[in-house]
Amino acid sequence: MRFMACSNIMVKDEISSAGSKMLYNFKAPFGADVYDRCIGKGMEFAGLIETDEFGIDSLFEQNTDAAITAMLENRCDFVLCNDLFGKLQRQAPGHGLVYINPAYGAVSRQGLIPAVSSMDRIGVLCRNIDDGCRVISAISDGVSDFAKEIPDKATEYKDISQLKYTDIIPYVFYILASAEISGNTARYDGVKFGFRAENAQNLNEMYLKSRTEGFDRDTQLAIITGCMVLSKDNYNKLYHKAMQIRRLIAEHYTRLLDECGFLALSPSVTGKNNLERSVFCLLSSLCGFPSISMKHGDSERLFVYKG
Amino acid sequence: MKYEVVMGLEVHTELATKSKLFCSCSAEFGGQANENVCPACAGMPGMLPNANKRAIELGIAAGIITNSRITPTISFDKKNYFYPDLPTGYQITQLFAPICKDGYVDIETADGGRRIGLTQIHLEQDAGKLVHSYDLSLVDYNRAGVPLIEIVSKPDFRSAEEVVAYLEKLRQILSFAGVSDCRMQEGSMRCDVNLSVREAGSDVLGVRTEMKNMNSLKAIVRAIEYESQRHIDALETGSEILIQETRRWDDNKGVSYSMRDKEEAADYRYFPDPDILPIDISDEWIAAVKSTLPESAGDKFARITGQLGISEYDAGIITASRKLSDIFDKLTQKGLPPKDVVSWIVTELLSMDTQENKSNDDIDIDCDKFADLLLLVERKEINRNTAKKILSLIYNQNIDPIDYVAQNNLGMVSDTGLLEGIVSEVLAENPSSVEQFLAGNEKVSGFLMGKAMAKTAGKADPAAVRMILMEALGRL
């Protein structure tokens, strides 16, 4: 199989920029575990693909992701990605593609340029379930056989009153994600590697200019939000509260999954912004549940499992 | 008006691990700049931290010897701030579940014993080092990621003397337990002093300032004296308004100065590090660490003064330094009499290097060779004077004492026949001295003794020569 990887997945000696000007010249000193595993299985590497900066989706824009385009142009059989904001899961079914998320922790994050450490995971954008399962088996230690659990399309979906917390999931997600993004991007300061702005008069100015010029809008928004929710005045009100709600969400949905085996949800719903549109993908990110986004019959479906 | 100074200490000390806290780079001091650095401790993206088990065990050991409670489940947190010596832009430390809590250390001062309470001990990464030259600032990340513990005391100190006694006690117990080598000059032990001044008898604390950058015990004492006086002056004359702030001690100028404005007061935005899972510390693990702890300085003092009959003065010198204590153990384990060993260490070894700023922990000698030397004395193969000279050669040039004695023919002359011949010669060559002796001037025997020793080039067994000489004189 031929594969590509989003540029936040490091490939030794290749410029692995994670879509950021900050890392425009960052030649990875080692390769990601997933890359090594794929090569080890005899798969053929077809190159890195630009990604949204660090995999951070825009709040409002809805451009087609470069990974989707690469698949549609038939440049490879699958793409390794970190779809923590749900953008690829929203877009894949509409293009006849499948996105598979392994359970959090099932696939090594070593060599993935981090955004949100507690949710980052490497998933697979592919053409069908069989390809996807083969790749997930290759890059994780377990054997994945999601296909068995894909329901017959005649199955009834019922009782949506159990889908709780859907109004706050996007914002709990964003509070926690932005906090971790602010920490994980702190290393890009222009001191040691990557982009450094010119003409700074002193250290503080060098930091400010490098980070202002090096990060795009959505990353800067996430960093500012993250610093805000972690500040002394807001930590308990926002970050800590969001952690508590995350636990309630995880407990509720784990119980639900215990009862019914899997949930058949929608990868893209109507909403004011991309976070709200991705609400069920973000549920999977927050709780680390494995999931598959695909066309199922006439509907776009996001199947969520307990993992 | 009488004032009382109230102080609390934050002591950072590097743990004696081989590798860093979250990667396998060497944690050794020194070396070429940026020699012990990997993508993880250089802050490259894509590397995940792996906690060093040994560092956690040394943290547990620190808790045991400071009578602390060990936290059953510890976790690590990110402390965010920008500085070029911090490669990731955050320090991994422990805020929410530090490894130890509520310990204490007992100290002795001229005013008697005092108990200093400890709020907590936590594990964290050290930062790198900035080197400034002309208009350049260079960064050395060798130290970045080296494991530290920070020992936070309660505000229990009332004098600089207590602070010094506490730091010396910490150094002693931590180095004996093998937790840290506690070298202030190399920066492996650093201390911040939180200080406030209030009217004697008051139970309200005054405005607190934190002082950093004291690199020796002397500097700490000077800084405390300076800062206390600054506070008292401010209270008495109103010459300045005290604010809660961090101050930097300049030991050359003997003053402290403010490090940052209030506007820039740091908000470290702590949060749990999602890359490191919480770690359980079971009672069995604590017991296992406890069973590997070596004898404490206090126990050793009691044992060698009690069972071995070493004087309290000498035992105090030996147990004040982990190094001397180890030398003592190695030599006595080879069967050498403890009292002789102590005498050789305290009177001879310690006079080898009297350079300033050298502490007894800096002494470096090959214990096997030192033991071989003392065994030669013990077996009367060389005499004490020869041994002193050879000790100096071992210390300075690391020579082998057995080879050296053989090559230079320094073996002690104790052949009775030979010595009798020499004594007869000496008596024949010095008739006037012999006459004086016979006339009752017994001091002259010393002169004759010296003559006899000289004829053996100092190699004779002095006790044997004395006996033969006195017998010969007695027969006259």
Side-chain angles (χ1 to χ4, degrees), chain A residues 10 23 26 29-30 104 109-114 117-118 179-180 183-184 186-189 191-193 203-204 207 211 227 230-233 235 239 243, chain B residues 39-40 42-49 78 80-90 96 139 141 264 266-276:
Chain A
M10 287 160 56
L23 291 173
F26 179 66
F30 60 94
Y104 176 75
R109 286 187 288 132
Q110 184 82 2
L112 171 67
I113 295 178
S117 302
S118 73
E180 293 190 32
N184 276 328
R187 70 192 64 211
Y188 311 118
D189 54 7
V191 172
K192 303 165 294 288
F193 56 83
L203 180 65
N204 251 343
Y207 284 149
R211 289 171 63 81
C227 289
L230 290 173
S231 67
K232 264 197 200 106
D233 293 343
Y235 183 87
Y239 181 81
M243 286 289 269
Chain B
M44 300 259 171
M47 290 295 288
L48 294 168
K78 287 182 176 177
N80 298 280
Y81 65 95
F82 287 107
Y83 205 64
D85 65 4
L86 191 65
T88 45
Y90 56 81
F96 298 110
V139 208
Y141 290 117
E264 283 188 69
D267 181 341
Y268 292 119
R269 308 187 309 277
Y270 286 96
F271 72 104
D273 189 335
D275 284 325
I276 308 163

Side-chain angles (χ1 to χ4, degrees), chain A residues 118-304:
Chain A
S118 73
M119 305 183 210
D120 284 340
R121 50 186 164 162
I122 292 168
V124 184
L125 179 67
C126 51
R127 293 203 169 78
N128 55 60
I129 293 279
D130 285 347
D131 280 2
C133 288
R134 210 178 315 152
V135 177
I136 295 283
S137 299
I139 61 177
S140 65
D141 288 323
V143 175
S144 296
D145 199 356
F146 288 100
K148 263 195 278 183
E149 290 199 62
I150 304 291
D152 181 312
K153 70 179 171 203
T155 310
E156 285 287 318
Y157 303 104
K158 54 190 175 180
D159 193 10
I160 57 163
S161 69
Q162 283 302 307
L163 300 179
K164 290 185 179 170
Y165 303 108
T166 49
D167 53 340
I168 50 171
I169 282 172
Y171 300 99
V172 169
F173 168 85
Y174 196 68
I175 288 171
L176 299 177
S178 63
E180 293 190 32
I181 288 167
S182 77
N184 276 328
T185 52
R187 70 192 64 211
Y188 311 118
D189 54 7
V191 172
K192 303 165 294 288
F193 56 83
F195 174 72
R196 179 189 289 183
E198 287 180 1
N199 304 321
Q201 299 305 309
N202 55 47
L203 180 65
N204 251 343
E205 207 178 299
M206 187 184 95
Y207 284 149
L208 281 171
K209 285 184 112 169
S210 300
R211 289 171 63 81
T212 305
E213 293 168 27
F215 291 133
D216 74 19
R217 247 181 82 91
D218 293 302
T219 303
Q220 293 193 20
L221 183 63
I223 292 171
I224 291 167
T225 309
C227 289
M228 190 266 286
V229 304
L230 290 173
S231 67
K232 264 197 200 106
D233 293 343
N234 292 307
Y235 183 87
N236 283 327
K237 275 188 287 192
L238 293 172
Y239 181 81
H240 189 62
K241 188 68 79 189
M243 286 289 269
Q244 290 173 318
I245 299 172
R246 178 192 208 172
R247 171 166 293 210
L248 291 178
I249 294 170
E251 282 170 2
H252 172 74
Y253 280 95
T254 303
R255 216 176 315 119
L256 206 55
L257 286 166
D258 279 339
E259 284 167 23
C260 56
F262 65 87
L263 298 171
L265 304 165
S266 182
S268 181
V269 299
T270 50
K272 292 196 291 291
N273 54 49
N274 287 342
L275 294 171
E276 291 188 358
R277 288 177 196 118
S278 279
V279 57
F280 294 117
C281 307
L282 302 186
L283 166 68
S284 153
S285 284
L286 270 177
C287 304
F289 296 138
S291 60
I292 301 174
S293 178
M294 61 186 284
K295 192 88 174 234
H296 185 243
D298 294 334
S299 331
E300 296 181 1
R301 284 281 173 234
L302 180 76
F303 295 104
V304 173

